[in-house]
Amino acid sequence: MTFCNSGKLFLIVVLLTAGKILQAQTRPDSLVNQLGEKYPQEKMYLQFDKSYYNAGETVWFKAYLLTDNFAVTVSKTAYAELLDEKGTVLQKKIMPVYEAGAASHFDLPDTLQTTKLYVRAYTSWMLNFDSSLLYHKALRIIPAAAKKAAPAPASYTLAFFPEGGDLVEGVSTRLAFKATDQDGVPFTVSGSIVTGTGVKVTSFTTAHDGMGFFAFTPNAGEQYKATWKDKKGVSHETALPTAKKQGLILNITNSADTIYYTLRRPDNADEPFTSFTIVAQMQLQTVYYARVTMTQKKEVSSTILTPNFPDGVLQLTVLNGNQVPVAERLVFVNHNTFSFVTDLHAIESNLVKRGHNTLQVDVGDTILTNLSIAVTDADINPVTGNEENIYSRLLLTNDLKGYVFNPAYYFSSDEDSVRQHLDLVMMTNGWRRFKWEELMAKHWPVLTHPIDNYLSIKGNVFGIPKNILATKTLVGYIKTKKNTSDFLTIPLTGDGQFRVTGIYAFDTARLYYQINNDKDKKLTSIASFTFKNELADAGAANKTLLSMLYPNGKPDSVSWQKNIKLAAQQRSLFESKAKTLEAVKVVGRVKSLKDKLEEEYTSGFFTGGDGYTFTMEDDPFAKSALTVMDYLRGKVAGLQVSADGQSADWRGSATSVFLDEINSDFSMIQNIPMTDVALIKVFRPPFFGATGGGAGGAIAVYTKKGGGNNAAVKGLDFTNIYGFSNIKEFYSPDYSNPNTPDAGDYRSTLYWNPFLIFDKKTRRIKVPFYNSDNCKRIRVIVEGINHLGQLSREEKIFE
């Protein structure tokens, strides 16, 4: 009997405990945390070398990727697409992610006639969520033929946004508004709020970029409208949102370290509107949770202390007694902890025709840091009135629903006025990361796209009994066009399926394969195989979404004309080179030994390049040299080799060294017998493939491959697989070299380096480059991220 009572008691305790656990798991704050833990959110930002592009130019870009505002990325592969105005994919780039960054380019046709293109960027994982969360940007294009297009018909919109979401009869609140034209450009507006019979209630006027707010209390049963005039003086009327009988008003005041919020309900509130749950979240993690009973009170105020919160957008939601969201407000929390300092200055300034310049970039901390730098002609690529940057995209607009004009402004200063203007953005834009209705119903995202671990292949083996397949694996051998190779062991499931990840190869490659331990290839010959690259595909672009994107503001007429003139000079130079080539009779040139070895051994950043190439086979001195550095000593002007051969520098910066395109050190290079060396390449500074951006150039040593590669694949079946997009080298002329072609230099981008990598050993990087023929002022932008997820940006004009 006692045992039975204990059992009943135990059962009751278990049921009560289970009930509490279940209740906790269905609380809105718990559901938010579950969403964040199960479905981490990736954000992407692209830095472009400039704001406008002429037909025929190259669009250089660097992608930065964050996961929940941390630099520890989930995905190892990023995709970028160039779209036309219809959403058709014109070009697609596949890039490996390195230290939260990836880089590539788009080559624009010189016959391009459009004035606008779009860039869409994403990872495979991001495709599991709403398409609006992908990176989208409109690019302004200066077409090949500058035709005067008819301007779009002028139209003006005035939209109203009750703070918290709704107007409630008889309850005072703040009513925000935003005025924009057909191009998303804000305009100054003022007007009056009147009743349906024309009685004026109050007036309003903009505070910043078409936005503002005013206090308002709607009366029961009354309809209101705004009367206002657009930029041309034309009168308009806009109906205000209809006030609800039952609802909740949420008003917020945001200070440096405290959020003050007030809840107000109507006099005769139904029961669901007398008790509320307040949830605040950032990056899908609950930062504040409270429950409020308002049976006796019509107004309740409280505070949220934010000193320990991260910087970024906070979403505060109020749910009623039925757990239905009834009010919501966004707040930007800013303690200035989101950034780190990057110091940029010119240590050599020579902005005459083809003058030599040197910039210096310093990062004070020892944390691993990944930066990119763009140096452009400031008169060709001027600052516009509508700019975004790494701060505004990753901390602000990535989380907002709606278009934000000139978002970079909100990170330009710590002045109170800027913070107040940013709060207007919070009042006039919505949250885009999830919908509360779906979250409360536990409608979790359906995962159809895997997390990319670089490149992957999947497939099937058919024609072999399952009992045999269960004991077998596939053996794969990947061979690239450059003869780099890698062995793979590919497990098979009982029904013959397989999937292999972590493939790192550029361009196209061959995958040779057979079933392991298959004597005389008996099983391989009777089986059939399917192989498929698992490349992410975002599908058709959302045309409605594209139509809501606006490019950077159009430059002033002087800059516009300079761009048109520059484009004409570039086309003239290109046509001149083409005619010269046509006049040359090409007679099937036999490839030199250097050409053959370049084609066989080099890939990615190491292909071509500005520098020297040495082949050991036809150089008698190579046989007598004791070490690689002994061989190079005195052969390369500007390269300083230490007496012991354990270091080298160029232009005062340390020279990087690679062994078979893998980052190495001098001691390893010095231990390689010269008889094992096939090829040595020395790259002039800067070399993009090196840590720190290669300010001291680089040395790449290639060891002989022998005939093993061909023997390994002889007689094997193969399939072609796709690798990462080829890397195009940014051309930076070296006018100290007498062999540099003396053609016109009409570059608008003077220098571009997507990877300046800093660590505890490298805290300073020098950036040397030559000026063009016409540039008088340069605009330099450095952006990036460190291992903690902090961001950095520095922009300067040198003249």
Side-chain angles (χ1 to χ4, degrees):
M1 191 71 168
T2 305
F3 175 81
C4 293
N5 288 336
S6 300
K8 288 180 181 180
L9 180 61
F10 173 75
L11 179 61
I12 292 171
V13 171
V14 169
L15 289 175
L16 288 174
T17 304
K20 289 182 179 179
I21 293 173
L22 182 62
Q23 184 181 14
Q25 290 177 341
T26 58
R27 277 178 24 174
D29 57 323
S30 176
L31 293 175
V32 169
N33 293 338
Q34 289 180 56
L35 182 65
E37 291 167 4
K38 295 179 181 178
Y39 308 96
Q41 297 291 293
E42 292 184 322
K43 300 178 181 180
M44 193 177 288
Y45 163 72
L46 269 61
Q47 179 188 358
F48 295 88
D49 61 313
K50 57 181 187 172
S51 301
Y52 322 101
Y53 294 92
N54 292 313
E57 288 190 318
T58 298
V59 178
W60 302 96
F61 63 87
K62 165 75 170 290
Y64 288 99
L65 189 62
L66 287 180
T67 304
D68 297 331
N69 278 14
F70 290 98
V72 181
T73 53
V74 172
S75 300
K76 298 299 183 184
T77 300
Y79 302 82
E81 297 167 339
L82 186 67
L83 312 175
D84 64 15
E85 292 185 276
K86 295 180 181 179
T88 304
V89 178
L90 305 177
Q91 298 178 38
K92 182 172 184 174
K93 301 295 181 179
I94 308 169
M95 305 163 286
V97 176
Y98 172 69
E99 296 299 338
S104 193
H105 70 282
F106 296 118
D107 289 321
L108 301 180
D110 57 4
T111 56
L112 198 61
Q113 297 297 322
T114 187
T115 59
K116 184 164 58 175
L117 293 173
Y118 300 95
V119 174
R120 177 173 64 176
Y122 53 90
T123 66
S124 173
W125 179 250
M126 291 169 70
L127 297 180
N128 291 304
F129 311 101
D130 193 287
S131 62
S132 66
L133 299 176
L134 308 184
Y135 176 89
H136 292 87
K137 183 176 176 63
L139 295 181
R140 190 179 293 277
I141 306 299
I142 301 174
K147 297 179 181 179
K148 286 190 176 181
S155 62
Y156 303 95
T157 302
L158 179 61
F160 289 90
F161 306 87
E163 185 176 14
D166 292 319
L167 294 176
V168 180
E169 291 180 352
V171 185
S172 63
T173 188
R174 294 188 293 190
L175 188 56
F177 61 89
K178 180 163 64 174
T180 55
D181 67 11
Q182 72 283 351
D183 294 322
V185 178
F187 63 92
T188 300
V189 67
S190 60
S192 299
I193 303 298
V194 299
T195 65
T197 58
V199 178
K200 180 179 177 180
V201 177
T202 189
S203 60
F204 62 90
T205 187
T206 49
H208 172 73
D209 271 354
M211 298 178 292
F213 72 86
F214 55 91
F216 183 61
T217 305
N219 292 326
E222 187 68 77
Q223 296 291 325
Y224 300 89
K225 61 184 177 182
T227 60
W228 54 281
K229 291 183 179 181
D230 62 31
K231 289 194 294 186
K232 295 184 176 181
V234 179
S235 296
H236 298 265
E237 291 184 353
T238 302
L240 265 59
T242 302
K244 293 183 175 182
K245 293 183 180 296
Q246 295 293 322
L248 182 75
I249 294 300
L250 168 64
N251 292 147
I252 281 182
T253 300
N254 184 24
S255 71
D257 58 3
T258 306
I259 296 172
Y260 301 88
Y261 70 87
T262 298
L263 307 181
R264 297 188 186 93
R265 65 165 179 82
D267 290 337
N268 300 314
D270 293 342
E271 185 176 348
F273 288 91
T274 59
S275 62
F276 301 95
T277 301
I278 302 104
V279 180
Q281 67 85 22
M282 301 183 72
Q283 304 305 321
L284 301 187
Q285 291 296 314
T286 301
V287 294
Y288 177 83
Y289 177 84
R291 301 190 68 176
V292 175
T293 299
M294 297 179 64
T295 52
Q296 302 298 322
K297 296 182 178 180
K298 293 186 294 184
E299 180 176 314
V300 172
S301 297
S302 189
T303 60
I304 302 174
L305 302 179
T306 64
N308 295 323
F309 291 5
D311 291 349
V313 177
L314 177 146
Q315 177 196 28
L316 191 147
T317 305
V318 183
L319 299 91
N320 68 10
N322 293 335
Q323 295 296 283
V324 175
V326 292
E328 185 169 278
R329 173 72 144 81
L330 302 182
V331 181
F332 193 86
V333 177
N334 185 3
H335 303 305
N336 284 322
T337 59
F338 62 82
S339 63
F340 64 94
V341 176
T342 296
D343 183 40
L344 166 69
H345 62 277
I347 59 176
E348 180 186 9
S349 183
N350 190 13
L351 293 176
V352 298
K353 179 180 179 180
R354 303 188 182 185
H356 188 268
N357 299 267
T358 304
L359 302 175
Q360 183 171 293
V361 182
D362 292 275
V363 177
D365 211 332
T366 59
I367 300 171
L368 185 64
T369 302
N370 186 352
L371 301 180
S372 47
I373 182 171
V375 182
T376 58
D377 186 327
D379 294 318
I380 298 295
N381 181 42
V383 179
T384 72
N386 184 17
E387 299 274 341
E388 79 162 4
N389 58 39
I390 193 169
Y391 298 146
S392 65
R393 173 65 75 156
L394 292 177
L395 294 173
L396 181 65
T397 56
N398 251 315
D399 291 328
L400 300 184
K401 185 177 183 180
Y403 176 69
V404 179
F405 180 81
N406 196 25
Y409 161 77
Y410 302 105
F411 297 87
S412 62
S413 169
D414 290 328
E415 295 292 330
D416 288 342
S417 59
V418 176
R419 289 176 178 259
Q420 292 166 6
H421 295 161
L422 177 55
D423 201 48
L424 289 174
V425 175
M426 298 293 98
M427 295 176 69
T428 56
N429 288 273
W431 173 258
R432 70 160 78 188
R433 287 280 160 187
F434 65 86
K435 297 178 181 178
W436 272 104
E437 294 80 1
E438 295 180 358
L439 183 62
M440 296 303 293
K442 295 187 179 181
H443 291 164
W444 305 111
V446 178
L447 301 181
T448 57
H449 298 272
I451 294 174
D452 277 333
N453 177 23
Y454 297 114
L455 301 175
S456 59
I457 303 168
K458 66 178 181 179
N460 286 84
V461 179
F462 301 100
I464 298 177
K466 290 184 177 182
N467 62 322
I468 298 178
L469 275 177
T471 63
K472 296 295 182 182
T473 60
L474 278 182
V475 175
Y477 182 86
I478 294 179
K479 188 176 182 181
T480 68
K481 287 184 176 180
K482 303 298 182 179
N483 278 339
T484 59
S485 58
D486 191 16
F487 282 98
L488 302 173
T489 298
I490 308 172
L492 297 173
T493 64
D495 56 0
Q497 295 185 38
F498 60 85
R499 183 172 183 263
V500 58
T501 66
I503 298 172
Y504 194 95
F506 286 86
D507 202 358
T508 56
R510 285 185 174 183
L511 172 59
Y512 294 87
Y513 60 90
Q514 76 168 37
I515 294 175
N516 196 20
N517 296 324
D518 184 18
K519 187 176 181 181
D520 300 327
K521 294 179 61 179
K522 290 182 179 180
L523 290 175
T524 306
S525 61
I526 65 172
S528 58
F529 302 83
T530 63
F531 295 88
K532 182 181 179 181
N533 272 93
E534 284 192 306
L535 300 178
D537 183 2
N542 186 324
K543 294 182 180 179
T544 302
L545 179 61
L546 295 183
S547 69
M548 295 188 294
L549 300 176
Y550 306 99
N552 288 50
K554 188 175 180 179
D556 59 67
S557 58
V558 174
S559 297
W560 187 261
Q561 290 302 318
K562 285 184 177 181
N563 269 284
I564 292 175
K565 180 180 179 181
L566 176 70
Q569 292 172 324
Q570 291 172 336
R571 284 196 297 274
S572 176
L573 180 62
F574 177 79
E575 290 168 0
S576 174
K577 289 181 178 179
K579 289 179 181 178
T580 302
L581 290 173
E582 288 176 3
V584 177
K585 184 177 180 180
V586 180
V587 184
R589 181 176 69 90
V590 177
K591 289 184 179 180
S592 66
L593 175 62
K594 184 177 75 172
D595 293 336
K596 290 179 181 178
L597 292 179
E598 279 265 3
E599 185 175 329
E600 179 181 356
Y601 283 88
T602 65
S603 64
F605 284 118
F606 298 86
T607 302
D610 179 24
Y612 304 81
T613 302
F614 303 99
T615 57
M616 303 299 100
E617 185 177 328
D618 58 354
D619 187 348
F621 181 71
K623 296 179 176 62
S624 60
L626 297 177
T627 65
V628 168
M629 300 311 295
D630 185 37
Y631 171 81
L632 289 177
R633 199 185 310 276
K635 278 185 171 289
V636 179
L639 178 68
Q640 303 296 320
V641 179
S642 65
D644 60 2
Q646 295 299 317
S647 65
D649 64 82
W650 204 330
R651 299 177 185 172
S653 296
T655 301
S656 303
V657 63
F658 295 83
L659 177 60
D660 293 327
E661 300 187 355
I662 297 174
N663 199 17
S664 186
D665 57 49
F666 284 89
S667 61
M668 185 174 292
I669 294 297
Q670 289 292 75
N671 287 326
I672 299 173
M674 287 300 294
T675 53
D676 291 344
V677 178
L679 180 73
I680 300 175
K681 296 193 69 175
V682 181
F683 297 91
R684 290 190 181 91
F687 176 60
F688 296 159
T691 299
I699 300 168
V701 179
Y702 295 86
T703 54
K704 294 178 180 177
K705 295 180 178 179
N709 284 348
N710 293 329
V713 300
K714 186 176 181 180
L716 296 184
D717 294 327
F718 68 87
T719 185
N720 289 323
I721 61 174
Y722 297 99
F724 295 113
S725 302
N726 275 337
I727 296 172
K728 178 179 179 179
E729 182 182 4
F730 178 81
Y731 174 67
S732 184
D734 180 5
Y735 289 120
S736 68
N737 183 357
N739 296 321
T740 299
D742 190 22
D745 187 342
Y746 306 120
R747 292 171 297 141
S748 56
T749 299
L750 306 178
Y751 182 83
W752 166 255
N753 190 340
F755 285 103
L756 296 180
I757 306 297
F758 298 79
D759 54 25
K760 61 183 180 181
K761 294 182 179 179
T762 304
R763 309 312 305 163
R764 170 176 293 172
I765 293 176
K766 295 178 181 178
V767 178
F769 65 93
Y770 284 90
N771 194 18
S772 66
D773 287 353
N774 303 314
C775 179
K776 305 300 181 185
R777 302 187 309 137
I778 61 171
R779 180 185 180 190
V780 185
I781 298 176
V782 178
E783 292 187 315
I785 185 173
N786 67 20
H787 200 59
L788 297 178
Q790 293 176 307
L791 311 176
S792 188
R793 187 177 196 276
E794 184 73 11
E795 176 174 352
K796 288 185 178 179
I797 301 289
F798 296 98
E799 53 188 328

